Structures are given as C-alpha cells and as structure tokens.
Amino acid sequence: MRKKHLAMILSRLKGFPEPKPELEQYRTPGDVAAELLWLAHSIGDIEGKVIADLGAGTGVLSAGACLMGAERVYAVEIDGKALRIARENVKSLGLENCVEFVNSDVSDFALRVDTVIMNPPFGSQVKHADRPFLMKAFEISDVTYSIHLAKPEVRRFIEAFVRDAGFSITHRITLPFEIPAQFFFHRKRLERILVDIYRFERT
C-alpha cells in the first residue's frame, strides 16, 4: 500500500460525534496518521507487532496500524462515545479481528507491547495533558511514536522529558496539521498548525 492511498483511506473515517474540548479531541488527519505509520512500518515497528494506541479516539491510528500489518492493536480510549465510532471505523475496513478496544484511562492500561502509537492532547486546554501519555508509553514499550506541537518550548520539554525517562529521539518529522472549527473558541473555519512526529526509543 502506498502512503498516499493509506492517507486517503484514513481521511474517510468518521470523526468525533461530540468532541470534548477538555480532552482536545481533534481527529488525526489522514495524511499525518499515514506519515507516522509509514515511518513506523519502514523501521519494522508495525508489521507483525503488538501495538498500543493510547488515546485512540475514533481509531484512525489503530485502523492504519492494522492496514500496515500489525498483529494486534489495543485501542485505549477513555471516551465511550469516541470508542463506539472507532469500532464502526474498524468494522468498515474489515479489521475487527485486529483491534481490541479498551475503554479506560491510559494510566490504567498495563499490558506490555512492542510499539506505542499516539496522538496525545497537546496541552492547550489542560497544561501538561500529554505527560500521562508519555509516562505510560515509556512504561509499557521500548518504542513510541507520538505527535506534539512543533514549538520551541514544546521541543525543549520533550527533549528533557525523554532524556530523563531513559529514552532518545531517533526521528522527528515536522508537517502541517489541519484542525477544522469545532469548538466555541475557534475563530477560523480551518486552523493549520505545525506538529512534530517523534520516534522515541529506550536507550
């Protein structure tokens, strides 16, 4: 499967029915999800692997990982309504046997996995909202792929946090991330921001 084709498939999946601003529920754009998954697949971190998608939302990354050959994906999501959409999205692609849905706070998930993939909250609404995701990812896996804002202060935080946890940054890809207007505080019809896709590995 080509990266462009993967992005097209993922961009057609259903989004959040009732997005919650406090959870920063923005759907992962198909092209951003495809970029993360393509990188992970090219390094050998997806095919035949057991994956955890922390804060899975509507299942974009989970579905994409299965399409790229993951053996099993645990889609961990605290919002039951989002998880119902994730089930629909996974079923629409015939991937039910690949994904196990876990309706839980990510902090309570305790299974060891080969790879973590995630698009955690950026911390725009609740400061440091991404920290529990990073902490759990580093606890349950030696390899993590994660999406964060491409800002100098965020990069400094990530670099220090990762180093202190005994991990290193092996890859960082910067690309645009589109957020459609969906909350009362949005002023533009479509907001374009820059994000970094990271690969972290235990040192």
Side-chain angles (χ1 to χ4, degrees):
M1 183 183 297
R2 293 182 176 180
K3 182 165 58 175
K4 188 175 181 180
H5 185 212
L6 177 64
M8 286 175 59
I9 292 172
L10 298 180
S11 67
R12 294 191 190 115
L13 296 178
K14 293 181 181 178
F16 290 96
E18 299 172 23
K20 297 177 174 63
E22 68 275 15
L23 295 180
E24 295 189 47
Q25 289 181 327
Y26 302 113
R27 184 177 167 206
T28 307
D31 57 338
V32 176
E35 195 73 46
L36 182 153
L37 294 162
W38 202 261
L39 173 63
H41 184 268
S42 70
I43 298 174
D45 292 328
I46 294 286
E47 192 169 0
K49 302 292 187 181
V50 176
I51 312 288
D53 178 4
L54 300 183
T58 57
V60 174
L61 288 174
S62 294
C66 289
L67 290 171
M68 298 300 283
E71 177 185 320
R72 165 69 59 184
V73 178
Y74 293 98
V76 185
E77 173 57 48
I78 196 170
D79 183 358
K81 289 182 179 179
L83 213 55
R84 281 200 291 275
I85 299 300
R87 288 180 187 275
E88 291 179 24
N89 283 333
V90 166
K91 187 176 181 180
S92 73
L93 297 172
L95 301 170
E96 302 99 310
N97 293 333
C98 177
V99 181
E100 183 170 330
F101 298 95
V102 183
N103 191 184
S104 166
D105 188 297
V106 296
S107 298
D108 296 327
F109 183 74
L111 291 177
R112 286 283 301 178
V113 297
D114 298 311
T115 309
V116 169
I117 55 176
M118 60 183 187
N119 177 20
F122 292 146
S124 301
Q125 300 304 312
V126 179
K127 200 171 182 182
H128 306 313
D130 52 349
R131 288 190 183 186
F133 288 80
L134 288 166
M135 289 168 64
K136 178 54 65 173
F138 294 164
E139 176 190 319
I140 63 173
S141 183
D142 295 335
V143 176
T144 293
Y145 291 81
S146 189
I147 303 170
H148 300 270
L149 289 175
K151 291 184 175 181
E153 62 272 24
V154 176
R155 287 177 173 174
R156 286 193 296 270
F157 158 70
I158 293 290
E159 288 164 6
F161 191 91
V162 167
R163 183 178 62 249
D164 291 345
F167 278 72
S168 62
I169 299 168
T170 64
H171 297 72
R172 188 180 75 196
I173 300 172
T174 305
L175 67 167
F177 186 113
E178 293 187 346
I179 300 175
Q182 59 185 29
F183 297 128
F184 67 91
F185 51 81
H186 285 151
R187 296 289 177 262
K188 297 180 181 177
R189 187 178 61 83
L190 188 69
E191 186 78 40
R192 287 183 178 87
I193 61 174
L194 286 179
V195 297
D196 289 326
I197 294 174
Y198 288 92
R199 180 182 185 271
F200 307 126
E201 185 173 21
R202 193 182 305 276
T203 50

